Amino acid sequence: MSNVGDISNACDLCDGDGGELLFNNGSLRVVLVDEPAYPGFCRVIWNGHVKEMTDLAPAARSAVMNAVWAVESAVREVMQPEKINVASLGNMTPHVHWHVIPRYLDDAHFPSPVWAEVRRDSSAAALAERTALLPKLRAAIARELAAAA
């Protein structure tokens, strides 16, 4: 397995939490991303500096994906998005992490990826409504992760 524990290059996800820490079991963490245009955007991050999912042992891969599905379930329940995007790119940050992003017909990029060109301005009222759901989302994520353990 290559790159396991290799921190030879600076890594944003090794140097910080990567968002508001919601959960950390020592192996992985779940954070709420500070992305005002996308309230409820979460990341599941493997704590060790590992570049690819296949660098992890099978049990660790399963733990990461179980956390991703638990977070997706909580986001769907609370945020009621039109769609959930689940992505693991890592081109800019080669460290195992998964994005769980609630998407709405009226979001700034829909139906394109959130990293694409902006298509429209997001409604301030819609963003405020979604941001108001974040306390419920935090609780739902905690509940889903406890059930998945």
Side-chain angles (χ1 to χ4, degrees):
M1 291 188 212
S2 62
N3 297 317
V4 176
D6 175 21
I7 57 171
S8 57
N9 296 320
C11 174
D12 291 342
L13 297 179
C14 288
D15 296 339
D17 287 332
E20 176 191 335
L21 187 62
L22 302 179
F23 173 85
N24 189 338
N25 69 3
S27 296
L28 62 88
R29 64 190 181 271
V30 175
V31 300
L32 186 60
V33 177
D34 182 17
E35 182 55 60
Y38 289 94
F41 182 151
C42 295
R43 282 191 195 108
V44 175
I45 305 165
W46 186 253
N47 284 334
H49 187 75
V50 175
K51 187 174 180 180
E52 306 294 350
M53 285 289 287
T54 53
D55 290 335
L56 294 172
R61 280 181 274 193
S62 292
V64 169
M65 295 316 300
N66 287 341
V68 169
W69 307 144
V71 171
E72 178 184 333
S73 181
V75 171
R76 288 184 68 196
E77 171 194 328
V78 174
M79 303 302 292
Q80 298 289 303
E82 177 71 23
K83 182 73 178 88
I84 294 279
N85 289 172
V86 175
S88 178
L89 304 172
N91 296 333
M92 298 298 293
T93 306
H95 180 126
V96 168
H97 66 286
W98 288 81
H99 303 271
V100 181
I101 310 165
R103 300 299 308 278
Y104 302 89
L105 296 174
D106 65 349
D107 77 40
H109 297 90
F110 198 88
S112 300
V114 297
W115 297 282
E117 291 293 319
V118 171
R119 291 177 168 256
R120 69 192 63 76
D121 289 332
S122 296
S123 157
L127 291 174
E129 285 178 23
R130 293 171 190 150
T131 300
L133 295 171
L134 295 181
K136 288 181 183 177
L137 179 60
R138 290 177 183 95
I141 288 172
R143 184 186 69 245
E144 290 290 334
L145 288 167

